[in-house]
Amino acid sequence: MTENPASAAIPLADDEKNVPIMLYTPNAMIWGEVIVKQAIRASTWLRTNAAPDKILVNNAKFLLTTTSNAMQPAAFRELIVPLATVGAYHLIPPASDPLDYDPTEPNRKMEPMSALVGSFRMDARMRMATSADLRRYLEFTRETFTPLYDVEISNVIQPNLAPMKVPFVLVRQATTIFSS
């Protein structure tokens, strides 16, 4: 594995865009840029049929998050991350997409909750039916990635990592621990 800390401009086709993202795996946090089609809503990319089996992250940074020792991120020209290892994903602010729901839709609520993804705690809100609670929502929803809104992300092992606030995160339902 060759480290390359220099950022490189990535050539884009006319129907592509470069998007800054952050991925969370069981033992690391990875951030950099991905190339997606212009027509794709980048924040929900992993919920679509266009989601790849492996994510190519350009101008990537990799930070091991399973130790309490303060570490410096390693820089790579590109990292190829298997989608199966991704526990959570979001755009890096200030990048954002429009809401993926209609806020005036009746009989829906935003329920406060927390999600644990590896060593990360995500205090957020989950959109669900007004008659549901977190347990019932998770019992009946069979989606690979579940959306969280108004998220504050912190690391329980490395408190020196400043909390980050993002409007939208996707978490892998099968590997996330949820709390109401």
Side-chain angles (χ1 to χ4, degrees):
M1 193 180 295
T2 305
E3 282 193 42
N4 182 359
S7 290
I10 309 300
L12 299 173
D14 290 341
D15 66 340
E16 294 177 328
K17 61 185 173 183
N18 202 18
V19 181
I21 61 144
M22 187 163 286
L23 303 172
Y24 300 83
T25 70
N27 60 0
M29 181 169 67
I30 299 164
W31 64 98
E33 303 162 350
V34 294
I35 297 172
V36 297
K37 296 291 185 186
Q38 287 283 354
I40 298 287
R41 182 190 300 246
S43 61
T44 60
W45 178 42
L46 299 185
R47 295 181 88 185
T48 70
N49 291 337
D53 290 333
K54 293 179 177 39
I55 301 171
L56 175 62
V57 183
N58 297 296
N59 301 319
K61 300 277 193 295
F62 176 94
L63 181 65
L64 188 64
T65 57
T66 55
T67 177
S68 60
N69 297 336
M71 300 184 71
Q72 292 295 326
F76 298 91
R77 186 176 54 80
E78 61 183 30
L79 285 177
I80 301 167
V81 182
L83 181 60
T85 67
V86 175
Y89 155 85
H90 64 80
L91 301 183
I92 298 174
S96 65
D97 279 334
L99 291 175
D100 67 336
Y101 65 90
D102 178 359
T104 64
E105 181 183 8
N107 303 317
R108 304 295 284 177
K109 67 178 177 179
M110 293 295 243
E111 187 73 14
M113 51 77 64
S114 294
L116 300 173
V117 178
S119 63
F120 289 91
R121 178 179 175 147
M122 300 183 181
D123 294 319
R125 295 160 40 103
M126 186 180 283
R127 186 166 170 78
M128 62 185 70
T130 53
S131 61
D133 60 16
L134 180 61
R135 183 184 54 78
R136 289 189 62 206
Y137 176 87
L138 294 171
E139 183 178 331
F140 292 105
T141 323
R142 300 286 183 250
E143 54 194 0
T144 303
F145 284 96
T146 298
L148 305 179
Y149 302 91
D150 304 323
V151 187
E152 181 170 310
I153 304 167
S154 58
N155 189 285
V156 297
I157 294 176
Q158 294 187 4
N160 59 318
L161 289 176
M164 180 187 318
K165 291 187 179 192
V166 295
F168 184 80
V169 174
L170 290 179
V171 296
R172 183 178 294 276
Q173 195 176 106
T175 59
T176 299
I177 298 170
F178 295 92
S179 172
S180 54

